[in-house]
Amino acid sequence: TDNVEVVIDTEGGDIVKVALLDYDAKLNEPDPFILLNRTNSHTYIAQSGLIGANGIDGKQRPVYKVDATAFELREGEDSLSIDLKFNNADANIIKRYTFNRGTHLIDLEYLVTNKSDANWKANLFGQIKRDSYEPPSDSGIGVKPFLGGAITTPEKNYHKISFDDLDDESLKSESKGGWVAMIQHYFISAWIPDADKKNFYNLRKSGEDFYLLGFTSESTTIAPHTTGNLKAAFYVGPKKIRNLEEI
């Protein structure tokens, strides 16, 4: 788009790379700053899916079909939607990402058509998966930039939690609406689930060197032979306080 270049894996429909086109990686060099990425040496990705009774994301992830392998927000267009399609015996499912001009906020929506004679039920989850790699920070005297998670809780509007904290203990919380984020110096990525639903948050360490910061929404029910949706948003970009406050 005008400010991001994104790679989406059709297995699971996860965001596995984000380059911020409006921020250079180095001074006086045109290469964009890459925030999210999945390489042999580094993992920082945004995962999402459907779990529960009729969920399609388990140990095996769904493999989606798409109409093309590259998309572009063109001049004169204000938004771009990418549809990833998956069908099974229960439902036709579209996982839709919508990118809007002038913002680093990405909308996610699952459009589910229940083909069966029974209620379709599932929970939406989103999580940020990252290893402990610390990018080199600016040289000179100063405080070491914070690298870790952040969340809003009923007790505290802005609660930071470091990787060291998660090494010792997981953090669980639930609230209506809310958000969960990964902070890396000047930049942040965050899942913002549906503000009208109760969401269950879990920040934890997984395995030797992965940290999972995520949410699971309350169950959504779609009646037989009807269409419903599940939605969230994902922010990936600079820590501009006014923009984040509004989001």
Short mmCIF file of all heavy atoms in Angstrom, two decimals, residues 135-174:
data_model
loop_
_atom_site.label_atom_id
_atom_site.label_comp_id
_atom_site.label_asym_id
_atom_site.label_seq_id
_atom_site.Cartn_x
_atom_site.Cartn_y
_atom_site.Cartn_z
N PRO A 135 17.12 -6.15 18.35
CA PRO A 135 17.81 -5.42 17.28
C PRO A 135 18.78 -4.42 17.87
O PRO A 135 18.57 -3.93 18.99
CB PRO A 135 16.67 -4.72 16.54
CG PRO A 135 15.58 -4.61 17.54
CD PRO A 135 15.71 -5.80 18.43
N PRO A 136 19.85 -4.10 17.16
CA PRO A 136 20.81 -3.12 17.68
C PRO A 136 20.15 -1.77 17.84
O PRO A 136 19.38 -1.32 16.99
CB PRO A 136 21.91 -3.08 16.61
CG PRO A 136 21.27 -3.63 15.37
CD PRO A 136 20.25 -4.61 15.84
N SER A 137 20.39 -1.11 18.98
CA SER A 137 19.80 0.20 19.25
C SER A 137 20.81 1.29 18.96
O SER A 137 21.98 1.02 18.64
CB SER A 137 19.33 0.27 20.70
OG SER A 137 20.42 0.05 21.57
N ASP A 138 20.36 2.52 19.07
CA ASP A 138 21.24 3.65 18.82
C ASP A 138 22.42 3.63 19.80
O ASP A 138 22.28 3.30 20.96
CB ASP A 138 20.48 4.97 19.00
CG ASP A 138 19.34 5.08 18.01
OD1 ASP A 138 19.43 4.46 16.95
OD2 ASP A 138 18.37 5.80 18.32
N SER A 139 23.59 4.00 19.29
CA SER A 139 24.77 4.06 20.15
C SER A 139 24.71 5.33 20.99
O SER A 139 23.97 6.27 20.70
CB SER A 139 26.04 4.03 19.31
OG SER A 139 26.04 5.13 18.42
N GLY A 140 25.51 5.36 22.03
CA GLY A 140 25.56 6.53 22.89
C GLY A 140 25.03 6.24 24.27
O GLY A 140 24.64 5.13 24.59
N ILE A 141 24.99 7.25 25.09
CA ILE A 141 24.58 7.11 26.47
C ILE A 141 23.06 7.28 26.55
O ILE A 141 22.50 8.20 26.00
CB ILE A 141 25.28 8.16 27.36
CG1 ILE A 141 26.80 7.96 27.28
CG2 ILE A 141 24.79 8.07 28.79
CD1 ILE A 141 27.58 9.07 27.97
N GLY A 142 22.42 6.39 27.25
CA GLY A 142 20.98 6.51 27.40
C GLY A 142 20.39 5.22 27.93
O GLY A 142 21.07 4.22 28.13
N VAL A 143 19.09 5.25 28.14
CA VAL A 143 18.38 4.08 28.66
C VAL A 143 18.20 3.07 27.54
O VAL A 143 17.88 3.42 26.40
CB VAL A 143 17.01 4.50 29.22
CG1 VAL A 143 16.23 3.29 29.70
CG2 VAL A 143 17.20 5.51 30.35
N LYS A 144 18.40 1.81 27.85
CA LYS A 144 18.19 0.75 26.86
C LYS A 144 16.72 0.69 26.48
O LYS A 144 15.84 0.67 27.34
CB LYS A 144 18.63 -0.60 27.47
CG LYS A 144 18.51 -1.78 26.52
CD LYS A 144 18.97 -3.05 27.22
CE LYS A 144 18.82 -4.25 26.29
NZ LYS A 144 19.23 -5.50 26.97
N PRO A 145 16.41 0.70 25.17
CA PRO A 145 15.00 0.69 24.74
C PRO A 145 14.28 -0.56 25.24
O PRO A 145 14.85 -1.65 25.29
CB PRO A 145 15.10 0.68 23.21
CG PRO A 145 16.46 1.18 22.89
CD PRO A 145 17.33 0.73 24.02
N PHE A 146 13.01 -0.39 25.61
CA PHE A 146 12.22 -1.51 26.09
C PHE A 146 11.84 -2.42 24.94
O PHE A 146 11.44 -1.98 23.87
CB PHE A 146 10.95 -1.00 26.78
CG PHE A 146 10.05 -2.09 27.27
CD1 PHE A 146 10.33 -2.79 28.44
CD2 PHE A 146 8.92 -2.46 26.55
CE1 PHE A 146 9.50 -3.80 28.88
CE2 PHE A 146 8.08 -3.47 26.98
CZ PHE A 146 8.38 -4.15 28.16
N LEU A 147 11.96 -3.72 25.17
CA LEU A 147 11.52 -4.74 24.22
C LEU A 147 10.67 -5.73 25.00
O LEU A 147 11.14 -6.38 25.93
CB LEU A 147 12.72 -5.46 23.59
CG LEU A 147 12.39 -6.64 22.68
CD1 LEU A 147 11.63 -6.18 21.44
CD2 LEU A 147 13.68 -7.37 22.26
N GLY A 148 9.40 -5.84 24.64
CA GLY A 148 8.53 -6.75 25.36
C GLY A 148 7.07 -6.46 25.07
O GLY A 148 6.74 -5.80 24.08
N GLY A 149 6.21 -6.96 25.95
CA GLY A 149 4.78 -6.85 25.71
C GLY A 149 4.15 -5.72 26.49
O GLY A 149 4.75 -5.13 27.40
N ALA A 150 2.90 -5.42 26.10
CA ALA A 150 2.09 -4.45 26.84
C ALA A 150 0.63 -4.84 26.65
O ALA A 150 0.25 -5.42 25.63
CB ALA A 150 2.33 -3.04 26.35
N ILE A 151 -0.18 -4.50 27.64
CA ILE A 151 -1.59 -4.88 27.61
C ILE A 151 -2.37 -3.90 28.47
O ILE A 151 -1.82 -3.28 29.39
CB ILE A 151 -1.77 -6.33 28.13
CG1 ILE A 151 -3.21 -6.82 27.93
CG2 ILE A 151 -1.34 -6.46 29.58
CD1 ILE A 151 -3.41 -8.30 28.26
N THR A 152 -3.65 -3.76 28.16
CA THR A 152 -4.54 -3.04 29.06
C THR A 152 -5.30 -4.05 29.90
O THR A 152 -5.72 -5.09 29.40
CB THR A 152 -5.51 -2.13 28.28
OG1 THR A 152 -6.29 -1.38 29.20
CG2 THR A 152 -6.43 -2.93 27.37
N THR A 153 -5.45 -3.78 31.18
CA THR A 153 -6.17 -4.67 32.09
C THR A 153 -7.20 -3.85 32.85
O THR A 153 -7.14 -2.61 32.88
CB THR A 153 -5.21 -5.34 33.09
OG1 THR A 153 -4.74 -4.34 34.02
CG2 THR A 153 -4.03 -6.00 32.39
N PRO A 154 -8.16 -4.51 33.51
CA PRO A 154 -9.12 -3.76 34.32
C PRO A 154 -8.46 -2.95 35.43
O PRO A 154 -9.00 -1.92 35.86
CB PRO A 154 -10.02 -4.87 34.90
CG PRO A 154 -9.93 -5.98 33.91
CD PRO A 154 -8.53 -5.94 33.40
N GLU A 155 -7.29 -3.39 35.88
CA GLU A 155 -6.61 -2.69 36.97
C GLU A 155 -5.66 -1.60 36.48
O GLU A 155 -5.41 -0.62 37.17
CB GLU A 155 -5.80 -3.69 37.81
CG GLU A 155 -6.64 -4.73 38.53
CD GLU A 155 -7.06 -5.87 37.61
OE1 GLU A 155 -6.36 -6.13 36.61
OE2 GLU A 155 -8.12 -6.48 37.88
N LYS A 156 -5.13 -1.76 35.26
CA LYS A 156 -4.09 -0.85 34.78
C LYS A 156 -4.28 -0.61 33.29
O LYS A 156 -4.34 -1.56 32.51
CB LYS A 156 -2.71 -1.44 35.08
CG LYS A 156 -1.57 -0.45 35.01
CD LYS A 156 -0.29 -1.08 35.54
CE LYS A 156 0.85 -0.06 35.55
NZ LYS A 156 2.11 -0.66 36.04
N ASN A 157 -4.35 0.66 32.90
CA ASN A 157 -4.62 0.98 31.50
C ASN A 157 -3.47 0.58 30.59
O ASN A 157 -3.69 0.17 29.45
CB ASN A 157 -4.89 2.48 31.35
CG ASN A 157 -5.33 2.85 29.95
OD1 ASN A 157 -6.21 2.20 29.38
ND2 ASN A 157 -4.72 3.87 29.39
N TYR A 158 -2.23 0.71 31.08
CA TYR A 158 -1.06 0.41 30.26
C TYR A 158 -0.06 -0.37 31.11
O TYR A 158 0.62 0.21 31.95
CB TYR A 158 -0.43 1.70 29.73
CG TYR A 158 0.75 1.49 28.80
CD1 TYR A 158 0.56 1.06 27.50
CD2 TYR A 158 2.05 1.75 29.23
CE1 TYR A 158 1.63 0.88 26.65
CE2 TYR A 158 3.12 1.58 28.39
CZ TYR A 158 2.91 1.15 27.10
OH TYR A 158 3.99 0.97 26.26
N HIS A 159 -0.02 -1.67 30.91
CA HIS A 159 0.82 -2.54 31.73
C HIS A 159 1.89 -3.18 30.85
O HIS A 159 1.58 -3.95 29.95
CB HIS A 159 -0.03 -3.62 32.39
CG HIS A 159 0.76 -4.62 33.18
ND1 HIS A 159 1.56 -4.27 34.24
CD2 HIS A 159 0.88 -5.97 33.05
CE1 HIS A 159 2.13 -5.35 34.74
NE2 HIS A 159 1.74 -6.38 34.04
N LYS A 160 3.14 -2.81 31.09
CA LYS A 160 4.25 -3.39 30.34
C LYS A 160 4.72 -4.67 31.02
O LYS A 160 4.73 -4.76 32.25
CB LYS A 160 5.42 -2.41 30.24
CG LYS A 160 5.15 -1.22 29.35
CD LYS A 160 6.41 -0.52 28.91
CE LYS A 160 7.24 0.03 30.04
NZ LYS A 160 8.40 0.82 29.57
N ILE A 161 5.12 -5.65 30.22
CA ILE A 161 5.63 -6.90 30.76
C ILE A 161 6.81 -7.35 29.90
O ILE A 161 6.70 -7.50 28.68
CB ILE A 161 4.54 -7.99 30.83
CG1 ILE A 161 5.08 -9.27 31.43
CG2 ILE A 161 3.88 -8.24 29.48
CD1 ILE A 161 4.00 -10.24 31.87
N SER A 162 7.96 -7.51 30.52
CA SER A 162 9.19 -7.82 29.79
C SER A 162 9.28 -9.31 29.50
O SER A 162 8.55 -10.13 30.07
CB SER A 162 10.40 -7.38 30.60
OG SER A 162 10.55 -8.20 31.76
N PHE A 163 10.20 -9.67 28.61
CA PHE A 163 10.45 -11.09 28.35
C PHE A 163 10.92 -11.79 29.62
O PHE A 163 10.57 -12.95 29.86
CB PHE A 163 11.49 -11.24 27.24
CG PHE A 163 10.98 -10.85 25.87
CD1 PHE A 163 11.87 -10.49 24.87
CD2 PHE A 163 9.64 -10.85 25.58
CE1 PHE A 163 11.42 -10.15 23.60
CE2 PHE A 163 9.17 -10.51 24.32
CZ PHE A 163 10.07 -10.16 23.33
N ASP A 164 11.72 -11.11 30.42
CA ASP A 164 12.17 -11.71 31.69
C ASP A 164 10.98 -12.02 32.59
O ASP A 164 10.96 -13.06 33.26
CB ASP A 164 13.14 -10.76 32.41
CG ASP A 164 14.50 -10.68 31.73
OD1 ASP A 164 14.82 -11.60 30.94
OD2 ASP A 164 15.23 -9.71 31.98
N ASP A 165 10.00 -11.13 32.62
CA ASP A 165 8.79 -11.38 33.41
C ASP A 165 8.08 -12.63 32.92
O ASP A 165 7.62 -13.46 33.71
CB ASP A 165 7.84 -10.19 33.32
CG ASP A 165 8.38 -8.94 33.99
OD1 ASP A 165 9.19 -9.08 34.93
OD2 ASP A 165 8.00 -7.83 33.57
N LEU A 166 7.97 -12.76 31.59
CA LEU A 166 7.27 -13.91 31.01
C LEU A 166 8.07 -15.20 31.17
O LEU A 166 7.49 -16.29 31.17
CB LEU A 166 6.96 -13.65 29.54
CG LEU A 166 5.93 -12.55 29.26
CD1 LEU A 166 5.77 -12.33 27.77
CD2 LEU A 166 4.59 -12.88 29.91
N ASP A 167 9.39 -15.08 31.32
CA ASP A 167 10.20 -16.26 31.63
C ASP A 167 9.77 -16.85 32.97
O ASP A 167 9.80 -18.07 33.18
CB ASP A 167 11.69 -15.91 31.69
CG ASP A 167 12.28 -15.63 30.31
OD1 ASP A 167 11.67 -16.07 29.31
OD2 ASP A 167 13.34 -14.99 30.25
N ASP A 168 9.38 -15.97 33.89
CA ASP A 168 9.03 -16.40 35.24
C ASP A 168 7.56 -16.81 35.37
O ASP A 168 7.24 -17.77 36.07
CB ASP A 168 9.32 -15.28 36.24
CG ASP A 168 10.80 -14.93 36.31
OD1 ASP A 168 11.62 -15.84 36.06
OD2 ASP A 168 11.11 -13.76 36.61
N GLU A 169 6.68 -16.08 34.67
CA GLU A 169 5.25 -16.32 34.88
C GLU A 169 4.43 -15.76 33.72
O GLU A 169 4.72 -14.68 33.21
CB GLU A 169 4.80 -15.65 36.19
CG GLU A 169 3.38 -15.94 36.59
CD GLU A 169 3.01 -15.28 37.91
OE1 GLU A 169 3.78 -14.40 38.37
OE2 GLU A 169 1.96 -15.62 38.47
N SER A 170 3.42 -16.51 33.31
CA SER A 170 2.49 -16.03 32.29
C SER A 170 1.57 -14.98 32.89
O SER A 170 1.40 -14.89 34.11
CB SER A 170 1.66 -17.18 31.72
OG SER A 170 2.49 -18.14 31.12
N LEU A 171 0.95 -14.19 32.01
CA LEU A 171 -0.02 -13.21 32.44
C LEU A 171 -1.34 -13.49 31.74
O LEU A 171 -1.38 -13.63 30.52
CB LEU A 171 0.45 -11.79 32.11
CG LEU A 171 -0.42 -10.62 32.61
CD1 LEU A 171 0.44 -9.39 32.84
CD2 LEU A 171 -1.55 -10.27 31.64
N LYS A 172 -2.42 -13.58 32.52
CA LYS A 172 -3.75 -13.81 31.96
C LYS A 172 -4.69 -12.72 32.44
O LYS A 172 -4.59 -12.26 33.57
CB LYS A 172 -4.28 -15.19 32.37
CG LYS A 172 -3.50 -16.35 31.79
CD LYS A 172 -4.13 -17.68 32.12
CE LYS A 172 -3.35 -18.83 31.48
NZ LYS A 172 -3.98 -20.16 31.77
N SER A 173 -5.58 -12.31 31.54
CA SER A 173 -6.53 -11.25 31.86
C SER A 173 -7.75 -11.39 30.96
O SER A 173 -7.68 -12.04 29.92
CB SER A 173 -5.87 -9.87 31.66
OG SER A 173 -6.78 -8.82 31.93
N GLU A 174 -8.85 -10.80 31.35
CA GLU A 174 -10.02 -10.78 30.48
C GLU A 174 -10.71 -9.43 30.62
O GLU A 174 -10.70 -8.81 31.68
CB GLU A 174 -10.99 -11.91 30.80
CG GLU A 174 -11.64 -11.88 32.16
CD GLU A 174 -12.61 -13.03 32.36
OE1 GLU A 174 -12.14 -14.18 32.54
OE2 GLU A 174 -13.83 -12.78 32.32
#
